[in-house]
Amino acid sequence: MDDSSRRLQQRRNQPSFSSSSSTGPTRFRSQNFSTNPTKTTQSSNSVPRSNFTTATTPNNTRNPGHIRNRKSETYDGISQQQEEQEAREDVGSIIGTCPFMCPDGERAQRERLRDLAVFERLHGDPRKTSPSLAVKKFCRTISVKHVQASDVRPLAVLEDTLNYLLNLLDSSEHPFEVVHDFIFDRTRSIRQDLSMQHIVNDRAICMYEKMVKFHVISHQRLRNCTSSSISSLQYLNMEQLTKALASLYVLYEANRNNNFVYENEAQFRSFYVLLHLDSKNQQMEESSSYWFRNVPSPVMKSKEMHFARQVLRFYQMGNYKRFLCTVSSEASYLQYCIIEPNVNEVRALAISYINNCCYKLHPYPLEQLSKLLRMKELDVESLCHACGLKITSDDGENKSLPTKQTTFSIPKGSLQSYELVGLQQ
């Protein structure tokens, strides 16, 4: 068996990660995207080393951010056919030289074609842009074999480009779905350039963590949008979130040495668990079980993973009281962005239990129900109406939920977002 075949066989034997898919104004602003990829170790004297061999630049100086003639794992869903083709051709990694966010050739071509996003137009002119505005688009059919180094951005330029894109998140000039569409495409292009250069160092890990944060925040914000195509945007965002997470986990492992973990690794590992709360099929459960066995011990013992496993257990048990209490007191901002839809589902489930199984024959006070569901009383009333239930009031204007109503039904589509009272963010 030749070298190319052996490398291909090794890649096929590597574990893969399963993906899963998952209104009212949000109460959060976007968080600071700066991340610190500092590693925490059991011994302060241990120095982490990459498991990969490093490439050399044309001047024969070591460049620890690049790998030659080997891939750690497939990035961003590159098809097996493409992977096999690259293995047969034994193509080495590229070291990009493009100094701008968008290569000159692409920028000029897109000006001619008027293919400029609103964020790229100079003074609003769809025919004009500049190096400080144009950002390289994602190209699905790009080939490492035929791309030129001048069309690929080096690591420093990619970092600046990513920071520029993420600063657009708080833009109020355009609807969020427009902002998301632009950042979504351009960050895919960033991952593409990282992949073609096989950059797997700490700076790449920091970039992937920032991109995962973008997709997590978008996971929540897109639910508040009113665009007719919002469901497809949510699906695509979730797809890229799971891919970015998978690549991030690969980068963690590529730089693993002894028992160290990255400072943010526990939280980003917990996202996988929270994204699979409602995965009910046996294949997904087996995949998750395998995934847990490969999580480093320090991560499994972390408070972030402890929280995620508790939430998973309470969700699967239908213990809505413990689920809501744990989420409100322990969830981080990003963790809550992921599980907010599950919070509303659990609340609807709780109302179903109380309506159908409540031992009280008299109406259930809304004030008491709001404390149980950790909601404002007006929000409880709105949710009950969404579930097809009527609310009654006594002479003192105290509202209650009459139980044993036969009109209860789980609302179709996504539920409105309601504030979680007591959330520590």
Side-chain angles (χ1 to χ4, degrees):
M1 181 182 294
D2 58 22
D3 290 341
S4 298
S5 299
R6 280 197 296 272
R7 279 194 297 273
L8 180 58
Q9 186 63 37
Q10 289 171 355
R11 280 197 297 272
R12 286 176 172 170
N13 292 335
Q14 290 176 335
S16 60
F17 294 84
S18 301
S19 63
S20 79
S21 59
S22 51
T23 59
T26 177
R27 59 192 290 259
F28 299 112
R29 289 180 59 81
S30 64
Q31 302 296 291
N32 191 333
F33 275 85
S34 62
T35 59
N36 182 359
T38 304
K39 305 159 191 170
T40 57
T41 65
Q42 291 186 344
S43 171
S44 59
N45 296 325
S46 71
V47 180
R49 297 171 299 178
S50 171
N51 294 330
F52 297 102
T53 56
T54 57
T56 58
T57 64
N59 295 325
N60 204 32
T61 57
R62 291 184 67 79
N63 186 347
H66 296 75
I67 303 173
R68 187 175 297 278
N69 295 332
R70 179 177 178 183
K71 292 182 180 178
S72 60
E73 186 148 343
T74 302
Y75 279 77
D76 281 345
I78 297 176
S79 68
Q80 183 174 331
Q81 182 178 1
Q82 290 174 300
E83 194 176 28
E84 292 173 349
Q85 180 68 22
E86 289 182 11
R88 286 194 296 269
E89 294 171 349
D90 199 22
V91 178
S93 63
I94 291 175
I95 298 178
T97 60
C98 176
F100 305 115
M101 294 191 295
C102 183
D104 289 331
E106 177 183 328
R107 189 169 66 246
Q109 181 185 45
R110 289 171 55 204
E111 282 182 327
R112 291 194 304 270
L113 299 175
R114 299 190 181 187
D115 183 20
L116 298 173
V118 292
F119 301 99
E120 299 175 307
R121 298 171 184 175
L122 186 62
H123 307 306
D125 188 342
R127 299 167 297 180
K128 295 291 183 182
T129 186
S130 69
S132 62
L133 293 175
V135 184
K136 183 180 179 181
K137 293 181 67 174
F138 172 74
C139 181
R140 188 178 301 275
T141 58
I142 195 168
S143 170
V144 176
K145 182 178 180 180
H146 300 103
V147 74
Q148 296 181 357
S150 59
D151 292 328
V152 179
R153 296 159 294 182
L155 180 57
V157 177
L158 291 172
E159 289 175 320
D160 291 341
T161 304
L162 179 60
N163 291 332
Y164 168 78
L165 291 171
L166 296 179
N167 284 334
L168 297 175
L169 262 181
D170 287 322
S171 173
S172 58
E173 296 181 16
H174 306 280
F176 180 73
E177 52 264 41
V178 175
V179 178
H180 171 269
D181 185 60
F182 180 69
I183 301 177
F184 177 89
D185 178 84
R186 294 339 189 239
T187 51
R188 290 187 74 185
S189 177
I190 288 175
R191 292 199 294 273
Q192 194 171 53
D193 278 12
L194 287 171
S195 176
M196 287 191 293
Q197 298 175 89
H198 303 295
I199 302 176
V200 297
N201 57 20
D202 289 355
R203 293 162 69 184
I205 288 175
C206 182
M207 292 180 67
Y208 265 89
E209 288 179 343
K210 289 180 179 181
M211 287 185 281
V212 168
K213 282 186 177 183
F214 158 69
H215 288 296
V216 168
I217 291 174
S218 298
H219 180 67
Q220 184 202 44
R221 286 196 178 184
L222 286 172
R223 290 196 296 273
N224 301 323
C225 297
T226 58
S227 171
S228 59
S229 61
I230 199 63
S231 59
S232 61
L233 291 177
Q234 289 175 319
Y235 173 81
L236 291 172
N237 182 72
M238 179 61 68
E239 182 182 53
Q240 290 305 311
L241 169 57
T242 53
K243 287 179 179 180
L245 274 175
S247 295
L248 177 59
Y249 298 154
V250 170
L251 294 182
Y252 285 146
E253 294 303 324
N255 292 275
R256 184 78 65 209
N257 182 48
N258 295 328
N259 220 16
F260 80 82
V261 295
Y262 282 86
E263 182 179 16
N264 303 309
E265 183 173 353
Q267 176 163 223
F268 284 92
R269 292 277 188 180
S270 75
F271 294 167
Y272 179 91
V273 181
L274 299 177
L275 285 167
H276 293 83
L277 289 185
D278 56 358
S279 299
K280 298 180 176 62
N281 64 69
Q282 184 176 358
Q283 183 178 0
M284 184 62 70
E285 290 178 0
E286 292 174 352
S287 174
S288 297
S289 177
Y290 174 82
W291 184 85
F292 275 120
R293 290 198 300 270
N294 288 277
V295 174
S297 177
V299 173
M300 288 297 293
K301 296 176 182 178
S302 67
K303 66 176 183 179
E304 293 88 353
M305 190 61 74
H306 176 71
F307 164 79
R309 297 178 73 186
Q310 271 195 316
V311 168
L312 175 64
R313 182 167 64 254
F314 296 146
Y315 184 88
Q316 292 178 338
M317 292 170 57
N319 190 335
Y320 57 85
K321 185 175 182 180
R322 296 290 300 276
F323 177 90
L324 295 171
C325 179
T326 301
V327 171
S328 65
S329 62
E330 299 182 30
S332 70
Y333 165 75
L334 293 173
Q335 288 171 330
Y336 186 73
C337 284
I338 292 176
I339 62 179
E340 186 183 29
N342 302 105
V343 169
N344 290 324
E345 291 172 9
V346 168
R347 285 166 165 166
L349 178 67
I351 291 176
S352 172
Y353 288 164
I354 291 171
N355 177 64
N356 295 323
C357 308
C358 187
Y359 66 91
K360 297 180 180 180
L361 297 180
H362 55 79
Y364 201 102
L366 234 60
E367 181 181 3
Q368 185 177 345
L369 187 56
S370 68
K371 293 178 181 179
L372 181 65
L373 302 183
R374 295 183 177 267
M375 301 174 70
K376 296 178 180 179
E377 192 169 329
L378 286 176
D379 290 340
V380 174
E381 185 175 1
S382 173
L383 180 58
C384 289
H385 287 155
C387 294
L389 301 178
K390 294 181 179 180
I391 301 298
T392 60
S393 301
D394 60 17
D395 294 337
E397 296 300 323
N398 295 315
K399 297 182 178 180
S400 301
L401 171 68
T403 59
K404 311 300 182 181
Q405 296 186 51
T406 59
T407 54
F408 176 87
S409 63
I410 297 293
K412 295 181 180 179
S414 59
L415 287 167
Q416 178 183 341
S417 296
Y418 299 105
E419 179 181 347
L420 182 64
V421 176
L423 187 65
Q424 301 298 309
Q425 302 298 321

